[in-house]
Amino acid sequence: METSFKKTAARLLGTSLVFLFISFTVFPVDAQEITPPGKPGFLKSTAGENEIRVTWAHPASNGGSMITEWEIQVNTGSTNENYFLLGSGTALGLGGLINGQVYEIRVRAKNSSGFGPFSDSIQSTPYSPLLAPQGLQIEVDSQNVKLEWEPPLANGTPVVGYRLEQWYYDNIQLTFTGPTTIADLGLMTSYTSAGLTLGDQYKFRVYGISPNGAGSFSEVQAIIKNTSTSTSTSTSTSTSTSTSTSTSTSTSTIVVPPTTTVSPPTPCTTTPSQIEIESDALLNNKNQETSTEIEIDVRVPPKPFYVC
């Protein structure tokens, strides 16, 4: 009986046991190669009085590693200075510059593999704001107004053109509305506004334009009345004075209030210093990088400085 059970158990074990073999195959995976970042793009500058503000964009490729530093190179032809900005910010302010001096600027990025190539360079020149055009005069002829003026007083900033704005007085809102006309005139120092409406009041502003934009303006107002006795010619200057003479035989009259000259705020006279301005954090969609704006004074000898 015992012998028969053992034989039966052995036969069952021999037929029902299954051996399972599991094999694992390991495929090697190469680590991503890190290379220097690409060339920064969209380098732009905004020049002011004794300063230039520069912005740029991240390279199309960061080389597989977060950008940690920027090098900004400023070249005047006779000097070449490099500034190093730690972090991923894409804005820089250069202060203490010389008005009228041409500055050539370029930038490059650095990651854990090193610096990449420089961006294309740009040129920028700081200037003082232009003063207002002088001797603004207007003359009416029927429903046309002719304006003439002279260049601003020289302050070292070149005049590359003039801009005229025309506004009209809204009798319902009781304020001037506009500008309804904007004319970029090149270097012309006269302009005729035609087809004006009898009985309406107008305001004209004339700006000088420098390479860095519009400066101060001279302004004059006029009311064209439907009368039959006089024509008025007015001379206006940047000192807010006006004179007028009258002659007969015209059907319109123009009434001119004193000229108003608006000047930009007085520039800061404190000694520029090397300062750092931290802007709001800006999340980079690809690199999780932030934006920081730094303002430096180029009169301080360049040396590495870092913003955490």
Side-chain angles (χ1 to χ4, degrees):
M1 184 67 176
E2 181 180 350
T3 301
S4 176
F5 174 79
K6 288 181 178 180
K7 289 181 180 180
T8 301
R11 187 166 52 253
L12 291 172
L13 288 172
T15 58
S16 62
L17 288 178
V18 177
F19 295 93
L20 180 64
F21 296 93
I22 301 175
S23 64
F24 297 92
T25 303
V26 178
F27 297 95
V29 178
D30 295 333
Q32 182 182 5
E33 181 182 3
I34 296 177
T35 61
K39 182 170 67 173
F42 300 101
L43 183 60
K44 298 180 181 179
S45 69
T46 303
E49 185 168 14
N50 301 115
E51 70 173 8
I52 296 174
R53 296 191 176 273
V54 186
T55 60
W56 61 91
H58 280 268
S61 171
N62 66 359
S65 178
M66 180 177 291
I67 292 173
T68 58
E69 191 173 356
W70 304 93
E71 180 181 359
I72 299 91
Q73 188 177 86
V74 182
N75 189 347
T76 65
S78 59
T79 62
N80 190 33
E81 298 178 346
N82 290 11
Y83 299 90
F84 298 89
L85 174 63
L86 192 67
S88 60
T90 57
L92 178 73
L94 296 170
L97 305 180
I98 300 173
N99 285 339
Q101 173 68 59
V102 178
Y103 293 89
E104 185 170 330
I105 305 168
R106 60 181 186 168
V107 62
R108 64 177 178 170
K110 180 183 179 182
N111 64 9
S112 59
S113 181
F115 278 104
F118 274 106
S119 67
D120 296 333
S121 62
I122 60 172
Q123 291 186 342
S124 188
T125 306
Y127 286 112
S128 298
L130 276 177
L131 301 177
Q134 302 181 91
L136 178 60
Q137 299 179 346
I138 59 174
E139 180 180 352
V140 66
D141 178 14
S142 184
Q143 293 173 255
N144 306 323
V145 171
K146 181 179 181 180
L147 299 98
E148 294 182 323
W149 58 90
E150 297 176 0
L153 288 173
N155 66 347
T157 301
V159 178
V160 299
Y162 295 95
R163 178 176 300 154
L164 181 138
E165 294 179 353
Q166 177 179 306
W167 305 58
Y168 83 96
Y169 191 79
D170 188 327
N171 291 307
I172 298 176
Q173 300 295 328
L174 301 180
T175 186
F176 281 99
T177 300
T180 56
T181 299
I182 300 177
D184 289 316
L185 307 175
L187 293 174
M188 295 175 54
T189 57
S190 65
Y191 178 82
T192 298
S193 181
L196 302 180
T197 304
L198 294 175
D200 279 0
Q201 183 175 355
Y202 297 90
K203 176 173 71 176
F204 302 91
R205 289 179 177 177
V206 179
Y207 300 78
I209 306 297
S210 78
N212 296 333
S216 302
F217 61 81
S218 291
E219 178 182 292
V220 67
Q221 299 177 15
I223 301 175
I224 301 179
K225 294 185 176 180
N226 187 13
T227 62
S228 58
T229 57
S230 65
T231 295
S232 174
T233 301
S234 173
T235 301
S236 303
T237 69
S238 60
T239 56
S240 299
T241 61
S242 64
T243 61
S244 63
T245 58
S246 296
T247 60
S248 59
T249 71
S250 176
T251 59
S252 301
T253 185
I254 184 166
V255 179
V256 183
T259 298
T260 301
T261 298
V262 179
S263 299
T266 303
C268 179
T269 57
T270 57
T271 302
S273 60
Q274 183 169 348
I275 63 173
E276 300 176 355
I277 302 174
E278 182 172 339
S279 70
D280 294 334
L282 175 63
L283 184 64
N284 183 283
N285 292 333
K286 182 176 181 182
N287 302 320
Q288 299 294 311
E289 298 166 346
T290 59
S291 174
T292 303
E293 179 176 335
I294 302 300
E295 184 168 329
I296 62 176
D297 190 332
V298 299
R299 295 176 294 186
V300 177
K303 60 183 180 180
F305 62 96
Y306 303 96
V307 177
C308 297

